Amino acid sequence: MAPAAFALACTPDSAPPPTSTVTDSAGIPVVESTSPAEQWTVGAEPVVRIGSLDGPDAFGDVRGAVFLADGRIVVADRQTSQLHVFDADGSPTDSWGGPGEGPGEFGNLWDLSLFRGDSIAVVEILTSEITIFDNEGRFGRSFRRTLPPTNPNEFYTHSCCSFRGTMEDGSVLVSYPDVFPHVGPDPRTNRATLMRMDGVSGQADTLGTFRGGVRGADGGAYLYGPGMRVAGAGSGFYLTEGRAFEVRRFDSAGGLEWIARVHRARTEVTPELLEATYRHAERYRGLPALDSLPSYSSRFLTDPAGNAWAVRAQPSYSTGRELIDVFAPDGRLLAELVIPEDLRIVAVSDSRVAGVALDPYDVEYLHVYEIDKR
């Protein structure tokens, strides 16, 4: 099949070279980008600042945030076991949940995600429960992440699996790694099984098995090892394994729809980079390291338009600007974003990004910035 090109509408004399080409591999489109199709920028200053030392907008441990359709921001705070709600201007309007074991309460709040419609799914790490709230904070239901009883991986049958996101049909994406002992030379790539769980019945179906983290002969982790990242989007999901600057799009049944690639070298793990890592966190000294950083970090987001936001991996000691590749629903590299310094992105909307910033005393604040799309 002849390559097809994505290009902007221009006169023949001024037409720039295409930013992406599409080829066919066994019936699967492969979209290869050399540069972003559009030029997006993030504002120099936040338009909203949320947080304080001891007020109603004080945070203890922000685990994530989401933008609601009406512009409100919901922030998951693990320390208070609550979801804190703010209007589009950053004023606090409500708090949902709280510590406890009753309906709508949390023992160990871990994550949150938009659910079907404008509902919110809240994830607990120890009980494996997922709790659903509507967009006014009313408790809907809770269900537990469990695996099929025929699954041979008995260890994970009860403690279950990692939450990976949701799809528009109300199903939940979860995964679990293999736990078989490592036999053979270092390093070993673990496999990760991705499953779709019905948000009502809890019935789980396998979507596929992918490359997960890297382990040594003793089961220990590797410093800067790659891993599987997943983000639900509409009727399917995006996935990257962190070995290359590559993102794949799958349908809700696990069928591969396309592969997107950006030809870019991963950052080399040099002795100088390792030593800087150890100075930042002495506990890492002695861990084996791979020869390069992963392509993308563990934060893999989507926006309401269905674009995938992949945060490029950086050394653990880095306090610089995050770099994000934004992939369009057709696989094109839509934009490359440079995020304001010392901001950890946790949520995106059509026109805004929200991230966690620390003050000199390590107090957390949520800063919201406008996106300029051109």
Side-chain angles (χ1 to χ4, degrees), residues 83 151 158 186 310 323 345 348:
L83 305 180
N151 182 67
H158 300 291
D186 289 346
L323 303 175
I345 293 296
V348 295

Side-chain angles (χ1 to χ4, degrees), residues 319-330:
T319 58
R321 298 174 181 271
E322 289 189 332
L323 303 175
I324 298 179
D325 291 337
V326 183
F327 292 90
D330 59 13

Side-chain angles (χ1 to χ4, degrees), residues 114-180:
L114 291 176
F115 197 58
R116 181 166 46 197
D118 212 12
S119 300
I120 297 172
V122 186
V123 181
E124 290 198 70
I125 187 64
L126 295 180
T127 64
S128 295
E129 279 196 339
I130 296 176
T131 299
I132 307 300
F133 292 91
D134 72 7
N135 62 2
E136 295 300 329
R138 290 182 288 261
F139 169 77
R141 66 183 184 281
S142 292
F143 59 95
R144 195 173 293 257
R145 310 192 305 275
T146 57
L147 296 181
T150 56
N151 182 67
N153 206 331
E154 292 297 336
F155 176 78
Y156 285 91
T157 300
H158 300 291
S159 61
C160 190
C161 33
S162 298
F163 174 80
R164 297 292 186 173
T166 63
M167 293 188 287
E168 66 182 8
D169 64 358
S171 57
V172 175
L173 296 166
V174 299
S175 72
Y176 64 91
D178 62 41
V179 291
F180 299 105

Side-chain angles (χ1 to χ4, degrees), residues 164-352:
R164 297 292 186 173
T166 63
M167 293 188 287
E168 66 182 8
D169 64 358
S171 57
V172 175
L173 296 166
V174 299
S175 72
Y176 64 91
D178 62 41
V179 291
F180 299 105
H182 175 24
V183 178
D186 289 346
R188 179 213 177 181
T189 297
N190 280 5
R191 311 299 294 182
T193 298
L194 184 67
M195 307 191 75
R196 179 187 62 200
M197 181 176 295
D198 186 274
V200 177
S201 68
Q203 174 66 37
D205 301 306
T206 298
L207 295 173
T209 300
F210 305 93
R211 290 181 295 180
V214 174
R215 296 284 174 176
D218 59 356
Y222 271 73
L223 188 61
Y224 296 127
M228 182 184 74
R229 322 299 187 197
V230 181
S235 59
F237 61 93
Y238 296 107
L239 183 144
T240 180
E241 294 174 324
R243 271 75 176 176
F245 290 95
E246 176 182 292
V247 171
R248 285 174 276 172
R249 167 77 186 187
F250 295 83
D251 63 27
S252 61
L256 180 60
E257 294 184 335
W258 51 252
I259 301 170
R261 292 175 180 151
V262 180
H263 292 284
R264 182 192 299 133
R266 290 160 56 189
T267 301
E268 180 183 1
V269 176
T270 63
E272 293 77 15
L273 187 151
L274 279 178
E275 186 56 38
T277 301
Y278 300 147
R279 288 198 301 269
H280 174 72
E282 187 65 29
R283 66 184 182 278
Y284 292 144
R285 191 177 296 276
L287 281 180
L290 299 180
D291 58 5
S292 59
L293 297 182
S295 55
Y296 295 118
S297 77
S298 59
R299 277 170 295 126
F300 196 29
L301 308 170
T302 58
D303 63 26
N307 302 313
W309 293 55
V311 182
R312 297 187 210 168
Q314 297 189 37
S316 61
Y317 58 83
S318 176
T319 58
R321 298 174 181 271
E322 289 189 332
L323 303 175
I324 298 179
D325 291 337
V326 183
F327 292 90
D330 59 13
R332 290 174 302 151
L333 178 62
L334 187 60
E336 293 177 334
L337 275 175
V338 180
I339 300 302
E341 193 169 4
D342 299 336
L343 189 74
R344 176 172 58 89
I345 293 296
V346 293
V348 295
S349 72
D350 281 328
S351 60
R352 291 182 165 191

Side-chain angles (χ1 to χ4, degrees), residues 1-6 18 20-32:
M1 177 179 174
F6 291 108
S20 300
T21 57
V22 182
T23 57
D24 186 282
S25 176
I28 303 298
V30 179
V31 186
E32 300 187 78

